[in-house]
Amino acid sequence: MKKIIAFLCFVALLISCIKTAPLPDLAPSPLISVNSLLMNSADTNWVFLSIIYPYKDSSSIKKAKPVYGSVDLEVDGKSIEVFQEGEPGFQEQFGFTTPLLPGQTVSATFSSPHTSDAHCEVVIPEPVQDSDIISFNATEAIPSNNGGSSEFNAYAQKINIDLVFRSSIAETYDIILECETESGRVLEGRIAPRTINGRQNYYLYAAFSSYYGIEAYGAAYGLSFQDDDFKEGDTIHLTGSVSIHLYQGDRVKSVWPVIGTGSKELYKHIRSIYARRSNDFKDWGVTSPVTTYTNIYNGYGYFMARSRSEFKSRRVML
């Protein structure tokens, strides 16, 4: 009985720490859902629209129609041109090529004849500067047999990075390691951190990748962290190891850090997803009550921003 009470208290604590929207099945009517991760370095930024119907309303699901949506965007109060990619469907894709600069505010209105309009805005975060990296070094990559696979080997190496924390530019930092191989391919390495300033549990995993020019994130390569104990000018010391998957016979030639800064909404979204995945009590016969954070007013999903800085000037030859 004590274990059950402790479990319920733990769940209540998680819920109280994360600002979330109601689960879609509890919504009184269909909601417009938005997925968009804006990048300061992207040639084209993309916005995806779909509609979430309440699970309890099975008749609505059966009658689901194309979104027939529209996206209106403003950058610092000025309208920008948005185009639609493809035909109307159950998920619709919109893009824009207007460059985004750090400090700009992007406001958005999302419309569909099946839902009420949804709104949100986000500020493009300032990027990390080369001068904020105190040091970066990596040891030579060591191949492993990867369980005898004939297609690729997994290489592992140790990294150390000292980074100045700038709370004035962003609340969220993420770190990815990129490497160039002898065959000329550029790959991302998965970071397994051991410590950040000698402490544990001040980081979350979140992969940031580009698929066909579309920025997205999931749970794989990257390391995302935020710590209320860090102050402006503090040095973050990160020690960890990196695994890199290579085709048989290829070799890592050099490696460098890629550091991103995210909007405050991005970290909250990642944190809520992380909490929900970590709060998986299948053995208890229950599902997690922790819902996903959303910054879409009158809608669902995320409309967030990230600035990416690639520091090839810090390249380490191996």
Side-chain angles (χ1 to χ4, degrees), residues 126-188:
E126 298 286 338
V128 172
Q129 302 299 319
D130 186 271
S131 58
D132 287 336
I133 301 178
I134 300 173
S135 64
F136 171 74
N137 59 72
T139 63
E140 184 176 358
I142 303 173
S144 67
N145 60 18
N146 196 44
S149 171
S150 60
E151 295 184 358
F152 54 78
N153 283 339
Y155 279 58
Q157 61 184 9
K158 294 179 181 179
I159 65 164
N160 290 281
I161 184 169
D162 288 326
L163 176 69
V164 178
F165 183 76
R166 301 294 186 192
S167 58
S168 58
I169 67 172
E171 295 187 19
T172 306
Y173 279 63
D174 65 80
I175 300 177
I176 296 172
L177 202 70
E178 285 191 345
C179 70
E180 183 179 12
T181 70
E182 289 184 338
S183 65
R185 294 192 305 148
V186 175
L187 304 173
E188 292 180 350

Side-chain angles (χ1 to χ4, degrees), residues 55-132:
Y55 297 151
K56 60 186 178 183
D57 190 357
S58 59
S59 61
S60 294
I61 298 176
K62 293 178 182 178
K63 297 177 182 179
K65 298 178 181 179
V67 179
Y68 296 119
S70 65
V71 176
D72 296 314
L73 294 179
E74 291 184 352
V75 177
D76 285 346
K78 297 181 180 180
S79 296
I80 64 172
E81 183 177 353
V82 178
F83 62 89
Q84 183 168 2
E85 184 79 7
E87 299 296 327
F90 295 101
Q91 183 184 63
E92 296 179 355
Q93 180 176 339
F94 299 83
F96 65 93
T97 58
T98 301
L100 297 177
L101 302 176
Q104 289 183 323
T105 299
V106 183
S107 305
T109 299
F110 312 103
S111 303
S112 169
H114 311 299
T115 66
S116 301
D117 288 355
H119 312 274
C120 68
E121 68 175 31
V122 66
V123 177
I124 307 300
E126 298 286 338
V128 172
Q129 302 299 319
D130 186 271
S131 58
D132 287 336

